[in-house]
Amino acid sequence: MTAQTTLTASEEDLQQHFDRTIGEDQRIEPRDWMPEGYRRTVVRQIAQHAHSEIIGMQPEGNWITRAPTLRRKAILLAKVQDEAGHGLYLYSAVETLGADRGELTDRLITGRQKYSSIFNYPTLTFADVGVIGWLVDGAAICNQVPLCRSSYGPYARAMIRICKEESFHQRQGFELLMTMMKGTPGQREMVQDAVNRWWWPSLMMFGPPDAESPNTAQSMAWKIKRHTNDELRQRFVDMSVPQAEVLGVTLPDDELKWNAARGHYDFGEIDWTEFKRVVSGDGPCNVQRVAHRRRAHEDGAWVREAAAAHARRNTSE
Ligand code: BYC
């Protein structure tokens, strides 16, 4: 069931229809009436998500020319290309709400719109490629599988394919790490070092604690988000600990231990000062990431101009 905008319906009727649609777990579609706040929130979240996918190509892309074997290079190329595809589905989803993709890109490269904090950390060794697959894509899956049930139809549908591909990415990361862990002591050290550097930033991907998350309560009420940041973070910790045991790596948290009463793992305090610093533009690679994206956008200007000229010529013929 979708809300139909009619000339006679009052704002109140439309609001009631919208509330009923959400209450009955139905989808809001692009032409349905929606409160302005809902539209703004969906545009913000999808745009930030799209930017994250595109900026997220950089840390791993860094290793394409230096992958240790042809097989690893082919896998990595395919994965990075998948991330570009995710960005494109998401920009298309946000365009259904009238957002202009050029304007969104402009907001990204001028620092007016966010992307995930995780991509502001450097990839120092090839083990980082495996750890990004295992932990970063693992966190992405935890966060994004529930978004397949998000109330905004085009977003929920885009997430189905994205999640399928993310699961594959996580598998390749785990397989890469497993291979390295069966290798030399030097390779095992590289994996442990990468885990030490990426564990805490991965936990930060889920966003601020619920008590300090300005958007969660309303986004949950609108069913844009299906779980809170802390719920998903806990789910990720519970999922990762046994996987770390199988791999034979140690997660860098002395306070990590099973809590039988809660039925979950307890874990240490996240450095929220670092999170805020990275989100506000002062992480290890923020400047580099945005500059690279800006350069790529500027270098692509002639392609956009040529495509527009071609489209104009075709319509005037
Ligand atoms: N980094 O009220 P909150 C991937 C912002 S791509 C930066 O909790 P919300 C992959 C937040 O946006 C992964 N900013 O917000 C790609 C908000 O900003 P405003 C990307 C963050 O939206 C390539 C403010 O802080 N995934 O997996 O309710 C290779 C307050 O937060 C972060 C998505 O985008 C952060 N970590 O919840 C490999 C998933 N956390 O209001 C992998 C979709 C929060 O100032 N997004 N902020 O504009 C979501 O699920 C939600 O937007 C979040 C935040 C859970 C991230």
Side-chain angles (χ1 to χ4, degrees):
M1 189 212 316
T2 57
Q4 295 293 322
T5 310
T6 68
L7 291 173
T8 52
S10 69
E11 280 280 294
E12 209 172 304
D13 291 338
L14 292 168
Q15 177 74 52
Q16 273 173 11
H17 198 182
F18 172 86
D19 292 343
R20 209 166 42 243
T21 305
I22 297 286
E24 290 171 356
D25 258 342
Q26 302 290 322
R27 295 271 160 78
I28 304 298
E29 297 297 339
R31 291 181 187 188
D32 291 344
W33 182 90
M34 60 192 85
E36 202 38 46
Y38 179 91
R39 179 185 297 273
R40 246 195 338 267
T41 303
V42 172
V43 168
R44 175 186 63 80
Q45 178 164 327
I46 307 179
Q48 289 178 358
H49 193 164
H51 297 331
S52 305
E53 299 283 355
I54 299 297
I55 295 276
M57 294 166 73
Q58 293 185 40
E60 290 175 282
N62 180 33
W63 283 93
I64 290 174
T65 56
R66 293 175 289 159
T69 65
L70 184 59
R71 177 171 173 266
R72 292 290 172 203
K73 191 187 185 102
I75 293 171
L76 187 54
L77 264 172
K79 179 182 192 283
V80 172
Q81 202 169 317
D82 283 352
E83 310 299 355
H86 298 175
L88 298 187
Y89 315 146
L90 290 165
Y91 283 125
S92 300
V94 77
E95 278 176 329
T96 63
L97 286 172
D100 178 77
R101 186 155 138 200
E103 163 63 18
L104 296 178
T105 302
D106 196 57
R107 282 197 211 164
L108 170 68
I109 62 179
T110 53
R112 287 178 292 140
Q113 206 159 41
K114 296 185 172 82
Y115 58 91
S116 180
S117 52
I118 192 74
F119 302 117
N120 292 306
Y121 293 86
T123 40
L124 303 182
T125 72
F126 197 71
D128 291 37
V129 170
V131 171
I132 289 180
W134 173 41
L135 293 179
V136 175
D137 287 280
I141 292 165
C142 268
N143 168 264
Q144 294 174 21
V145 166
L147 294 175
C148 297
R149 291 185 299 112
S150 179
S151 58
Y152 187 58
Y155 190 32
R157 289 189 287 275
M159 291 317 301
I160 294 170
R161 177 160 173 185
I162 292 179
C163 286
K164 287 215 165 88
E165 293 179 351
E166 298 290 18
S167 303
F168 187 66
H169 295 170
Q170 197 206 15
R171 283 302 183 104
Q172 72 79 35
F174 197 82
E175 190 266 345
L176 193 167
L177 296 179
M178 211 51 175
T179 305
M180 289 186 79
M181 290 304 286
K182 287 183 192 147
T184 63
Q187 284 176 305
R188 282 195 286 279
E189 268 168 43
M190 273 167 72
V191 174
Q192 184 60 59
D193 173 65
V195 170
N196 293 348
R197 286 181 287 107
W198 288 91
W199 173 248
W200 290 104
S202 300
L203 296 189
M204 294 175 196
M205 281 176 76
F206 295 91
D210 294 349
E212 287 160 43
S213 162
N215 301 300
T216 292
Q218 182 60 76
S219 288
M220 297 273 291
W222 277 330
K223 298 183 182 169
I224 298 168
K225 282 167 79 165
R226 292 296 190 145
H227 301 280
T228 72
N229 299 354
D230 287 334
E231 283 165 9
L232 293 173
R233 193 171 2 253
Q234 180 71 61
R235 190 178 285 187
F236 174 67
V237 171
D238 292 347
M239 178 182 102
S240 301
V241 174
Q243 293 175 354
E245 280 163 12
V246 173
L247 270 177
V249 294
T250 310
L251 296 173
D253 179 359
D254 294 339
E255 292 172 49
L256 193 62
K257 60 169 184 305
W258 179 250
N259 181 328
R262 286 200 316 121
H264 292 290
Y265 283 92
D266 288 337
F267 54 99
E269 184 59 28
I270 293 168
D271 183 351
W272 292 114
T273 315
E274 174 179 322
F275 172 74
K276 282 181 194 140
R277 209 175 54 237
V278 174
V279 171
S280 62
D282 193 21
C285 299
N286 296 57
V287 172
Q288 180 189 334
R289 299 288 185 243
V290 175
H292 190 81
R293 180 70 194 93
R294 176 195 287 269
R295 210 163 41 243
H297 186 64
E298 287 168 359
D299 287 350
W302 71 270
V303 180
R304 292 188 296 279
E305 281 159 22
H310 181 70
R312 269 196 308 275
R313 202 185 60 187
N314 277 0
T315 48
S316 63
E317 266 170 10

